[in-house]
Amino acid sequence: MGSDHQHHHRHDNLRTAFFLNLGFTVIEIVGGLYVNSVSIISDAVHDLGDSISIGLAWYLERVSKKGASQKFSFGYSRFSLLGALINSMVLIMGSGYVIYEGVRRLIHPELSDANGMMLLAVVGVAVNGYAALKMSRGKTLNERVISWHLLEDVFGWAAVLLVGIVLKFYESPYLDPALSLMIAGYILWNVLKRLKETLEVFLQGTPHEVDLREIEQKLLNLTLIDSLHDSHIWSLDGERNVFSTHVKLREVLSIPQMREVKNQIKETLRPYHFHNCTVELEFADEVCSMEHTH
């Protein structure tokens, strides 16, 4: 019930962010052309990419909540991760375009309409700020990447507002393109960090918040466990982690002792809140083909 409510909440947040972003992108394109601002036009292209990404994320978030199937035995949760990867790539391409337009305008400077810039900036801060607030409680990588998109836009529009105010008192054709380059550089730096995080999850790297060696040591401290091998931790989507290991027992145990060992292992792993745990128990004289492969 709680999971269904959370999924519905995420779905509504993504839908709200999508329509807000798409609607404001149209306003940006028209307004940017009207006030002759390369930073606004560049941000419009950036927001168009965001709109496409958020729409895709909205769709993938719905797909990711499907149950397990014959084809995807873990379910579809990694489709959400795919959305985060695509979103990051769109941001990188959008930032590249902004840099190109900013450099071109520095070479061929033109004045912008300060009043129009300030008006659009106020609307931009309000719209993107509201959408960012709606997404701020997201837990998946997909939601966090989109939240970062929107927060970047808030900062960007705040900077546009500041430049508009300055242009009211000091006309300079270089402030607008210089601002667009600073925004693009800031976005590019942060999205590359997010892309690295997404790729680590996509490539099944060990989550930073979990210490595999610590878990192994806790399990080895249990009385009847002799050794561990083939231990792995990876994340389905940046939120739900999976753990697996092979446990070699010290001696042949009775059925009640086996149950006790299983219960001890479950209690040891419980604080880590793994989405899925697979533990294979092996007897002391048992030879496992996976024991010496890592």
Side-chain angles (χ1 to χ4, degrees):
M1 184 105 176
S3 177
D4 290 341
H5 176 74
Q6 189 179 43
H7 170 48
H8 182 71
H9 184 65
R10 289 175 184 170
H11 180 271
D12 287 347
N13 286 345
L14 286 168
R15 180 179 59 190
T16 300
F18 170 69
F19 284 113
L20 281 175
N21 226 38
L22 184 62
F24 187 61
T25 296
V26 175
I27 296 174
E28 278 184 286
I29 293 173
V30 175
L33 291 171
Y34 181 76
V35 302
N36 194 33
S37 170
V38 68
S39 60
I40 291 177
I41 294 173
S42 298
D43 198 76
V45 174
H46 170 73
D47 274 357
L48 179 61
D50 278 358
S51 298
I52 296 170
S53 298
I54 294 171
L56 181 61
W58 179 20
Y59 169 74
L60 291 176
E61 190 68 34
R62 295 175 64 186
V63 171
S64 73
K65 300 308 171 189
K66 289 184 179 179
S69 66
Q70 188 69 25
K71 189 172 184 180
F72 297 102
S73 60
F74 267 107
Y76 291 75
S77 58
R78 287 177 73 80
F79 278 68
S80 176
L81 184 62
L82 177 62
L85 183 62
I86 294 173
N87 288 348
S88 296
M89 297 306 298
V90 168
L91 261 185
I92 289 173
M93 290 187 290
S95 297
Y97 179 80
V98 170
I99 290 171
Y100 167 78
E101 283 296 321
V103 171
R104 188 183 67 81
R105 187 61 69 89
L106 284 175
I107 297 172
H108 305 288
E110 298 176 20
L111 282 173
S112 303
D113 181 350
N115 290 327
M117 287 180 68
M118 288 189 293
L119 178 61
L120 284 171
V122 170
V123 178
V125 169
V127 171
N128 287 283
Y130 176 72
L133 183 63
K134 291 284 286 182
M135 297 300 302
S136 62
R137 295 184 180 89
K139 293 182 178 180
T140 66
L141 267 175
N142 195 10
E143 290 175 295
R144 291 205 297 269
V145 169
I146 292 171
S147 178
W148 183 251
H149 286 203
L150 297 168
L151 194 58
E152 286 168 347
D153 288 339
V154 173
F155 292 145
W157 281 112
V160 170
L161 178 60
L162 181 61
V163 167
I165 293 171
V166 172
L167 287 176
K168 284 286 290 180
F169 301 99
Y170 175 71
E171 288 190 350
S172 171
Y174 299 105
L175 282 178
D176 184 57
L179 172 63
S180 70
L181 290 175
M182 286 190 290
I183 293 172
Y186 179 73
I187 291 172
L188 198 56
W189 169 256
N190 285 285
V191 77
L192 287 175
K193 291 194 294 185
R194 294 298 180 278
L195 179 60
K196 179 177 180 291
E197 180 185 357
T198 302
L199 287 174
E200 284 178 356
V201 178
F202 205 81
L203 297 174
Q204 297 184 318
T206 303
H208 295 294
E209 70 274 11
V210 185
D211 189 336
L212 177 58
R213 296 290 170 254
E214 176 188 280
I215 295 174
E216 288 182 320
Q217 189 57 53
K218 286 184 178 181
L219 292 174
L220 287 171
N221 288 338
L222 299 179
T223 308
L224 296 173
I225 293 179
D226 179 64
S227 64
L228 302 171
H229 58 272
D230 199 35
S231 300
H232 304 282
I233 300 176
W234 55 282
S235 180
L236 285 172
D237 57 3
E239 179 184 5
R240 288 168 287 189
N241 298 332
V242 176
F243 174 76
S244 66
T245 189
H246 288 224
V247 174
K248 180 152 288 190
L249 304 173
R250 291 187 182 278
E251 56 192 48
V252 177
L253 306 178
S254 64
I255 291 178
Q257 286 177 313
M258 291 282 284
R259 286 177 179 158
E260 178 61 25
V261 170
K262 289 175 67 176
N263 287 333
Q264 288 177 356
I265 291 173
K266 287 179 182 177
E267 286 304 312
T268 301
L269 297 177
R270 193 184 304 278
Y272 296 94
H273 305 291
F274 289 117
H275 177 70
N276 184 281
C277 290
T278 303
V279 179
E280 182 170 340
L281 299 181
E282 300 171 359
F283 295 111
D285 58 349
E286 186 176 350
V287 177
C288 176
S289 61
M290 301 301 294
E291 190 167 357
H292 303 293
T293 59
H294 297 278

